[in-house]
Amino acid sequence: GNSVTQMEGPVTLSEEAFLTINCTYTATGYPSLFWYVQYPGEGLQLLLKATKADDKGSNKGFEATYRKETTSFHLEKGSVQVSDSAVYFCALYAATGGYQKVTFGTGTKLQVIP
Amino acid sequence: DGGITQSPKYLFRKEGQNVTLSCEQNLNHDAMYWYRQDPGQGLRLIYYSQIVNDFQKGDIAEGYSVSREKKESFPLTVTSAQKNPTAFYLCASTLAGAGGTQYFGPGTRLLVL
């Protein structure tokens, strides 16, 4: 079946540091890939997505590139802010047996300190 | 504004009691989902529904039940058979053919008295 593996947290960075959160996946066919962000006590929000190989998703300074050859979708940001502190989930979407399901990673908590 | 609402924000369950979590969306989305989130863990799928009057079990359906009588509503009942119901419950929806982007509600935190 489909699966998503992302790096364990928590990740603690100083403000303005470079961020990478690794994500790899296993899937049949050609899934779409997503990053969602969850702030404390809230639901998840879509951060960015990519629907085919070599696509780059970007939003709010975050970027991720769909790498089919390495089955990866790593999240990056050049300069993090305290307001980026949250839990980040990598996810893939694929139709399975006629039903459309999303598979989520376990989440990576990011803490940015001033 | 279009979106997904969940109520209540906090819910307390007594031993042996069934409780129902509400999820409503006015996005005209076809598919709706219920997830359970435990501290420090990812999301686990409980049930999902692609169309009205049809739903499928997810990975952890035991002790839960759902209905989908209207397109905009997908309530989740946590039954007394669910022995460890304390968790954060998230409802989500997607529009068919829109590439799988899920829109989430704010969540309901269920606690056991």
Side-chain angles (χ1 to χ4, degrees):
Chain A
N2 299 333
S3 67
V4 174
T5 302
Q6 57 182 108
M7 61 188 289
E8 290 200 23
V11 174
T12 302
L13 295 173
S14 297
E15 204 165 23
E16 300 184 0
F18 184 85
L19 169 71
T20 300
I21 300 178
N22 291 337
C23 172
T24 57
Y25 67 91
T26 302
T28 54
Y30 302 94
S32 296
L33 301 173
F34 303 82
W35 278 100
Y36 287 86
V37 59
Q38 184 181 32
Y39 298 100
E42 298 183 6
L44 278 67
Q45 304 172 28
L46 177 69
L47 180 59
L48 53 84
K49 73 176 187 180
T51 58
K52 61 183 188 295
D54 299 325
D55 266 2
K56 177 185 283 188
S58 61
N59 186 25
K60 301 180 180 179
F62 291 90
E63 293 182 339
T65 301
Y66 189 148
R67 302 284 189 201
K68 190 168 176 60
E69 64 275 14
T70 55
T71 61
S72 65
F73 193 55
H74 305 321
L75 182 68
E76 297 181 336
K77 187 176 185 184
S79 176
V80 294
Q81 305 300 312
V82 172
S83 57
D84 294 327
S85 298
V87 181
Y88 293 82
F89 291 91
C90 185
L92 73 81
Y93 164 77
T96 305
Y99 287 94
Q100 299 161 346
K101 292 174 61 176
V102 177
T103 302
F104 288 88
T106 54
T108 301
K109 184 175 182 179
L110 170 65
Q111 183 177 12
V112 180
I113 55 177
Chain B
D1 285 337
I4 300 180
T5 57
Q6 290 186 240
S7 61
K9 188 172 178 64
Y10 295 94
L11 185 58
F12 298 90
R13 194 191 89 164
K14 295 180 181 178
E15 194 81 28
Q17 187 181 41
N18 292 354
V19 292
T20 297
L21 285 62
S22 169
C23 177
E24 304 278 331
Q25 54 99 358
N26 61 4
L27 300 166
N28 199 33
H29 285 178
D30 306 285
M32 297 186 74
Y33 306 77
W34 274 107
Y35 295 94
R36 170 178 171 144
Q37 185 177 27
D38 292 284
Q41 297 189 30
L43 278 64
R44 293 185 289 170
L45 182 64
I46 305 173
Y47 270 98
Y48 60 104
S49 169
Q50 301 286 119
I51 57 173
V52 173
N53 292 322
D54 182 60
F55 47 83
Q56 301 295 317
K57 291 182 179 180
D59 303 316
I60 56 164
E62 186 175 350
Y64 300 97
S65 66
V66 293
S67 62
R68 186 87 185 277
E69 297 176 1
K70 299 185 296 183
K71 187 176 183 178
E72 58 270 22
S73 179
F74 191 42
L76 173 74
T77 296
V78 183
T79 74
S80 57
Q82 173 48 246
K83 297 306 180 187
N84 183 24
T86 298
F88 190 52
Y89 291 87
L90 288 161
C91 179
S93 69
T94 63
L95 181 64
T101 300
Q102 297 212 319
Y103 294 80
F104 284 82
T108 292
R109 187 165 299 280
L110 177 59
L111 301 166
V112 177
L113 293 176

